[in-house]
Amino acid sequence: ASSKTYTATVTNSAAIPTNSLCVSRTYTGSAQQLTSATSGTGYTLSGYSQTNAGTYTITATLASGYRWSDNTTGTKTFSCTMARKAVAEPGCTSATYNGSSQTLLAAKTSGEYTNSAITGTNAGSYSQTLTLNSNYQWSSGSNVTSNRTKTCTISKATPTITLSATSGTVVAGKTMTFTATVKSGTSTTVAGTLGASSGSTSYATISPTSTSITGADNSSGKATTETVTGVASGSSTITVTFTPTDTTNFNSASSKTYTATVTNSAAIPT
């Protein structure tokens, strides 16, 4: 019979590249190489130079005269990742009610994240969404790659009470006075009710017990004269309070006390 021939071609073997070639990269805004090499024995890589955070397919292509170690010749692929850059969540500006609009967080229109300005006038909480750029993640907390709701707060203003004296002595049947001055505790004025009460009316009484206050600022404030009448020998604690009409924007003032000591009367010898 006629003889037959078979031609056997022997090529070099190339190791199949894997993601062990990936190197750690974090977004910088510039192009970065995601692999430790751009080629190997018998192959070249493509797709390894990237700028944005994300996961990328790296393609390995055989050089002429090579086959993969699994005896195939098609391209091989693996994936490398560029991490997002960490960014801190912005803080709110501290604010206390002052009757005017206040900016608690400035608007941000580009960069790591964007948000509309957070503003408010009245005491309370105000919110806006912080929208992350896809190249960034939050540096703390959970769900670090998700948008966040940022809430900022305007605190209530706290009025103050100042007494002209904190104690006094009076003869039973006589009177003495002190003043209680209310200030708003902020750059606007406050209205409300000044209250005064005697802890022991059998020894001393106080008048007026309730006074309407309007337009008390934080400079001179509004002063009220309180009259203590001695009833009998002993002492009584006078408590002075202020309750604002606008409880949305003002706290009640911390109460103040005045100690009234009452003594018996002695006739003046002549």
Side-chain angles (χ1 to χ4, degrees), residues 169-174 231-234 261-267:
T169 301
V170 66
V171 173
K174 300 294 183 179
V231 176
S233 179
T261 300
V262 182
T263 61
N264 291 317
S265 174

Side-chain angles (χ1 to χ4, degrees), residues 51 129 156 185 203 206 262:
T51 300
T129 299
K156 293 183 180 183
Y203 297 121
I206 186 74
V262 182

Side-chain angles (χ1 to χ4, degrees), residues 20-86:
S20 63
L21 292 174
C22 298
V23 292
S24 177
R25 293 286 186 260
T26 298
Y27 173 77
T28 64
S30 300
Q32 300 182 75
Q33 183 175 309
L34 302 183
T35 55
S36 57
T38 60
S39 63
T41 301
Y43 66 86
T44 58
L45 299 178
S46 60
Y48 51 78
S49 180
Q50 301 293 339
T51 300
N52 292 321
T55 298
Y56 296 93
T57 298
I58 311 300
T59 301
T61 303
L62 280 169
S64 177
Y66 282 85
R67 296 174 74 89
W68 297 117
S69 58
D70 63 0
N71 204 34
T72 62
T73 58
T75 57
K76 300 293 187 183
T77 61
F78 60 94
S79 296
C80 292
T81 298
M82 183 185 295
R84 297 184 182 209
K85 185 177 181 179

Side-chain angles (χ1 to χ4, degrees), residues 164-165 175-179 207 225-228 258:
S164 60
T175 62
M176 61 181 174
T177 62
F178 65 90
T179 59
S207 180
T225 299
E226 295 288 343
T227 300
V228 179
Y258 178 92

